[in-house]
Amino acid sequence: MRDGTVAPEDVAADAPRFLKEFQARNDGILDVREQSALMALRVLIAGCGSVGGSAVEPLSRLGVGSLVLADPDGYEISNLNRQLCVYADIGRPKVEVAAERARAINPLIELAQEPAGVTEDNLVSLLDGVGVVFDAIDSAPPSLWIKYLLHRHAARLRIPVLLGVDLGGKPTVYVWDYRRNPCPFYGKANESDFREGREVEALRSYVGLTAIPADFFPVIRSRISGEPAPWPQVAYCATSMGAIVSRIVIDLALSEPVRPVVSMDVHQLPQTPRRRLRSLLRWPIEAAVTLRAAANAGDGFDAGAPAGAPDGSVSRVGLRSVLDAIRLAPSGHNTQPWRLNIIDERTVRVGRDPHRALPAVDPDGRYVCYGIGCAIESAATVADIEWEPGPNGNPLDDGWHGGTLRINDIDWLAYARSIGQLGARSTNRAPYYLHPPSREALATLRRAGSRFEACEAIPLTHRLQELADLTYEAAAANFADQAFLEELLDWIHVDRRDSAHGEDGFTAATLRLAPPAAAAIRLLKRSPHARRLAAKGWLPHLFASDARRTLRASGAAFALCSNDKTPRGRVLGGRALLALWLAAANAGLALQPVNFALDSPVTRDAFADLAGAGREADLVALVRIGYATAPAAPSARLPLGQLVDEPAGSAVEVGA
Ligand SMILES: Cc1cc2nc3c(=O)[nH]c(=O)nc-3n(C[C@H](O)[C@H](O)[C@H](O)COP(=O)(O)O)c2cc1C
């Protein structure tokens, strides 16, 4: 004992003094009864992964007397994001690392390790002397049956069992206090579902639908319809699980009655009442859609088979990863005009989908080229690729394509970072704060937008007012044009029942339409008469004023121009646009292209003059930039399967 602290070697010799100091800061929150009950308690942690492992540290720190740790697995790199391990533990048995951690916290804790995990053979001995069981056994067969046996034996011995389920940001703990009702799963489970490995049926018998947070339903649906993949799990969900379980253990140790289901949605905790209400209202819809998808999937749905891991070489997985990156690219009206023609496992040709054209806004195929450029830059952001440009003919002709991508190599660490950056980029149509970004940030953006030959990002922050006025003039002319208006309305899906809602174009949320505006759009979409009247009357002024207001509410602006009007030059223009956009996103800056002024023949020359770009220049985009006052709503994307043409018998199997 030195300086009032306890040296590890002295601990056993002077246990009472150690315990007094160890528990000193629990005093006042835990009373003497609680602390003593914990010290006398032996807890079986059945499964020491994200769920079970989460309780090891809080229970040890609270001063639990004894832990029995059972798990057959060792740590993998993918466990580092949430489990008890550090990098040096990779490959080591989970029970060993967990025991080491518990003992490092409390040298007096009594520990037993079972590296075989819970089995039919060791079940009885593992339960010996145990006061509470934390069941974190994997629910996939064959351990599903062991899970049932654990409950059956615990129920016979009248030992309470906690069972943890972590979905999204919501840890849920089910409590079976078998001292009060000694029937496994309180009679709700069908033994044969467990024995015969019917995981979904078995889970249904105890995991209530309400344990599933609204934001996890899309994950479930993606697993139902897409490639099997491991379920996502995050650190704060695991940490909260440990917090909930450790408190329940104290109550059970004192034989206090406990609620049968205890949960907390960490994602919802910081939300304002309005956002929370929105999630609440979203929940029944998400649940219904997911139940329908599950019913349609029938028996073919494999809940959790692991996906193929990237192996460092360009492979099926590598190509798929690059295609996933392309899918995140932006495009005018969010048409996603790409047709991805797979040539082999390293090569893909990026063509255009004629069904996703914009004849009114884009009669000469500029936007097709820019969209393809954005797709190519997305691919180049995540992998080392070579781009061989396509033919220089008319981009709207059959057979034209934007070029061929050859994947040379993928650095998976860089991939993980850049796919995250691509996903974080968005079009933010909210007002931005008026104070401009720092000079350094603007210089970085300018460099990024001027990276490709013939392209230049021209700073126009000092001309925002004039740009806003030009934008008003152009937008008023555009919205008075019946063909422009009809085309735009075709790509706005205000109605959730619209089959393209969530797949392409705009939603009310991405356009930040207030309910009356969404209702007006609905009416315009339905009634040609209303469209004619609106285009002649109030609509051009109203929408153009909104565009002008938006542009004024910006911290900075750039014109992106190029001296190369060939399709190849325009594809490069699209690449430059995405490069600038990503640089902005990396600097925490929001961005929105507002292209009325440079697209409209009414204002095009005035815009080119204002930017000092020359009237012959190709005007790619006017982008407003700044610190956003509100986040952007996520925009829709087509399933990858709809973008890809695979050769017959292809090994790529992109699927939906
Ligand atoms: C070349 C180009 C021009 C665009 N022009 C506009 C525009 O004038 N106004 C606008 O609000 N968004 C514009 N966008 C943004 C797209 O609508 C947006 O990228 C698409 O809806 C996908 O949404 P996301 O960027 O949030 O992923 C443009 C995008 C591109 C690639």
Side-chain angles (χ1 to χ4, degrees), residues 328-334 367 370-371 374 425-427 429 505-506 577 581 592-596 620-621 633 635 637:
L328 296 175
S331 52
H333 283 20
N334 198 18
Y367 274 81
Y370 301 147
C374 289
R425 182 215 56 82
S426 62
T427 304
R429 298 182 176 87
F506 308 107
L577 173 61
W581 211 325
Q592 178 194 7
V594 185
N595 272 8
F596 293 110
V620 181
S635 66
R637 284 298 183 273

Side-chain angles (χ1 to χ4, degrees), residues 263-310:
S263 74
M264 161 169 95
D265 189 338
V266 183
H267 284 177
Q268 271 193 16
L269 289 177
Q271 287 176 3
T272 56
R274 213 168 120 193
R275 268 182 77 201
R276 197 176 288 202
L277 181 68
R278 218 179 301 145
S279 326
L280 211 72
L281 297 176
R282 213 179 107 207
W283 192 91
I285 301 162
E286 290 283 359
V289 177
T290 308
L291 285 175
R292 206 177 57 190
N296 292 343
D299 295 337
F301 171 42
D302 177 353

Side-chain angles (χ1 to χ4, degrees), residues 295-653:
N296 292 343
D299 295 337
F301 171 42
D302 177 353
D311 60 2
S313 62
V314 177
S315 61
R316 189 173 85 79
V317 177
L319 178 59
R320 165 82 201 227
S321 307
V322 172
L323 299 178
D324 281 336
I326 289 179
R327 187 171 162 262
L328 296 175
S331 52
H333 283 20
N334 198 18
T335 56
Q336 302 158 63
W338 319 293
R339 205 66 225 156
L340 307 173
N341 213 304
I342 293 169
I343 294 167
D344 60 39
E345 290 198 355
R346 291 177 172 265
T347 321
V348 58
R349 179 178 300 151
V350 188
R352 87 180 172 100
D353 183 341
H355 304 295
R356 309 197 144 266
L358 295 170
V361 170
D362 188 27
D364 46 8
R366 273 168 60 225
Y367 274 81
V368 169
C369 297
Y370 301 147
I372 286 182
C374 289
I376 290 172
E377 187 59 15
S378 273
T381 303
V382 296
D384 170 9
I385 62 152
E386 246 165 69
W387 168 54
E388 188 192 314
N392 248 341
N394 182 348
L396 299 180
D397 281 351
D398 284 349
W400 181 87
H401 61 86
T404 306
L405 298 181
R406 187 175 162 77
I407 308 167
N408 288 332
D409 191 19
I410 299 183
D411 169 345
W412 287 105
L413 191 59
Y415 178 87
R417 288 202 188 105
S418 38
I419 193 87
Q421 286 163 0
L422 283 179
R425 182 215 56 82
S426 62
T427 304
N428 191 322
R429 298 182 176 87
Y432 304 160
Y433 292 106
L434 299 184
H435 75 266
S438 70
R439 238 186 261 165
E440 294 74 28
L442 289 174
T444 308
L445 265 55
R446 188 176 182 176
R447 269 198 304 278
S450 310
R451 217 175 73 197
F452 297 99
E453 60 185 73
C455 294
E456 191 185 357
I458 304 168
L460 287 180
T461 308
H462 56 298
R463 312 293 293 269
L464 266 170
Q465 183 58 48
E466 291 152 89
L467 288 170
D469 291 342
L470 273 186
T471 297
Y472 174 86
E473 202 184 323
N478 267 342
F479 285 112
D481 173 354
Q482 196 74 15
F484 173 93
L485 179 62
E486 307 231 340
E487 186 171 275
L488 176 61
L489 288 171
D490 277 346
W491 291 93
I492 302 182
H493 313 302
V494 267
D495 203 329
R496 282 184 175 273
R497 282 167 303 185
D498 187 333
S499 60
H501 189 281
E503 296 213 327
D504 61 22
F506 308 107
T507 60
T510 51
L511 291 181
R512 298 177 53 80
L513 296 176
I521 297 279
R522 214 170 273 129
L523 173 71
L524 290 174
K525 277 175 80 85
R526 253 201 322 263
S527 157
H529 185 57
R531 282 201 295 276
R532 268 194 304 277
L533 278 181
K536 285 203 188 101
W538 50 270
L539 186 129
H541 167 69
L542 204 73
F543 283 9
S545 302
D546 188 58
R548 175 167 57 191
R549 225 183 355 261
T550 307
L551 206 68
R552 279 190 194 139
S554 308
F558 281 97
L560 190 66
C561 304
S562 151
N563 289 330
D564 187 349
K565 277 186 164 168
T566 63
R568 176 182 176 275
R570 286 180 165 153
V571 170
L572 278 176
R575 292 191 67 173
L577 173 61
L578 188 64
L580 193 159
W581 211 325
L582 288 174
N586 288 346
L589 289 163
L591 183 150
Q592 178 194 7
V594 185
N595 272 8
F596 293 110
L598 50 96
D599 284 348
S600 166
V602 181
T603 51
R604 192 194 174 283
D605 286 349
F607 179 85
D609 293 347
L610 191 148
R615 292 192 176 180
E616 287 313 304
D618 190 47
L619 307 176
V620 181
L622 164 63
V623 295
R624 59 185 283 260
I625 287 166
Y627 296 101
T629 57
S635 66
R637 284 298 183 273
L638 287 162
L640 191 53
Q642 279 196 41
L643 301 176
V644 173
D645 279 331
E646 290 179 68
S650 153
V652 177
E653 295 165 20

